[in-house]
Amino acid sequence: ERIVNIQNKIHREIGNIILILCAISIIIKVIIGLRGFEYIGIEMIIVFFSGVYYIVRSTQMGIYSEEVEIQNANSKINPDTRTVLTGIILGVIIGLIFGFNSAIQYADGLVQKVHYFIITFTASFLMYVPFLLFILYVLPKIAKNKSDQVNRKMLDEMDEE
């Protein structure tokens, strides 16, 4: 059992190293100007599907709900409040990035820059906040409910034996 636990720890560390390397690769490519999906697509796919795979497997095994409960017990902020704040903050950050990008790249004068910034920031914020709230709030709730169902089923099977 000790060997299996150590092997699992090593595999977890390898996964984390791969995700960190992908993130570094994305950052470097964006900094040097390689922003298209054709340049950073593989890294984005690896990062995205790693997270999706982890959530799906932990939900199927019934440990996702337990992880959520442990995380919520250790948090000083209400989990729902934290999720909403995270969605809003990420929406503001995305809106600022898109707003500044639009103002800098496409506007000619100061008035036009301010105008482009306000329009782009507002549109980005209004589009991304609901999307982020769905991703950060609704999907984890669905995963937690599925994980709870798996736990109940496993407990019922243990009671039958």
Side-chain angles (χ1 to χ4, degrees):
E1 186 175 322
R2 181 176 92 50
I3 294 172
V4 171
N5 287 337
I6 291 172
Q7 287 174 333
N8 289 340
K9 182 179 178 185
I10 292 170
H11 284 104
R12 231 180 353 261
E13 290 169 354
I14 291 170
N16 289 336
I17 290 169
I18 290 170
L19 291 177
I20 290 168
L21 290 174
C22 286
I24 291 170
S25 174
I26 290 171
I27 291 168
I28 290 171
K29 287 178 180 178
V30 167
I31 288 172
I32 63 173
L34 304 174
R35 292 187 175 104
F37 187 77
E38 62 272 11
Y39 299 111
I40 60 174
I42 295 296
E43 292 92 338
M44 291 175 63
I45 289 169
I46 291 170
V47 170
F48 177 75
F49 282 108
S50 305
V52 170
Y53 179 79
Y54 180 81
I55 289 173
V56 168
R57 289 296 292 151
S58 65
T59 300
Q60 288 175 343
M61 298 178 89
I63 62 171
Y64 182 79
S65 58
E66 295 170 16
E67 290 175 342
V68 170
E69 289 174 16
I70 291 170
Q71 185 180 19
N72 292 346
N74 294 336
S75 177
K76 295 178 183 175
I77 300 173
N78 179 335
D80 293 338
T81 304
R82 184 179 64 229
T83 301
V84 170
L85 286 175
T86 302
I88 291 171
I89 290 168
L90 287 174
V92 167
I93 291 170
I94 291 170
L96 288 172
I97 291 169
F98 287 172
F100 282 122
N101 182 50
S102 178
I104 291 168
Q105 286 196 1
Y106 303 111
D108 293 326
L110 180 62
V111 174
Q112 192 177 33
K113 286 183 181 196
V114 171
H115 183 72
Y116 279 22
F117 173 82
I118 290 171
I119 289 173
T120 308
F121 171 79
T122 304
S124 299
F125 181 79
L126 292 176
M127 286 187 323
Y128 282 103
V129 167
F131 174 73
L132 289 168
L133 289 178
F134 177 77
I135 296 293
L136 295 172
Y137 185 78
V138 175
L139 293 181
K141 290 288 185 191
I142 292 169
K144 185 175 182 320
N145 288 340
K146 291 286 185 190
S147 183
D148 287 339
Q149 289 174 355
V150 169
N151 283 338
R152 281 193 295 273
K153 184 178 177 183
M154 288 171 61
L155 288 173
D156 289 345
E157 289 174 359
M158 288 174 58
D159 288 342
E160 291 175 2
E161 293 177 2

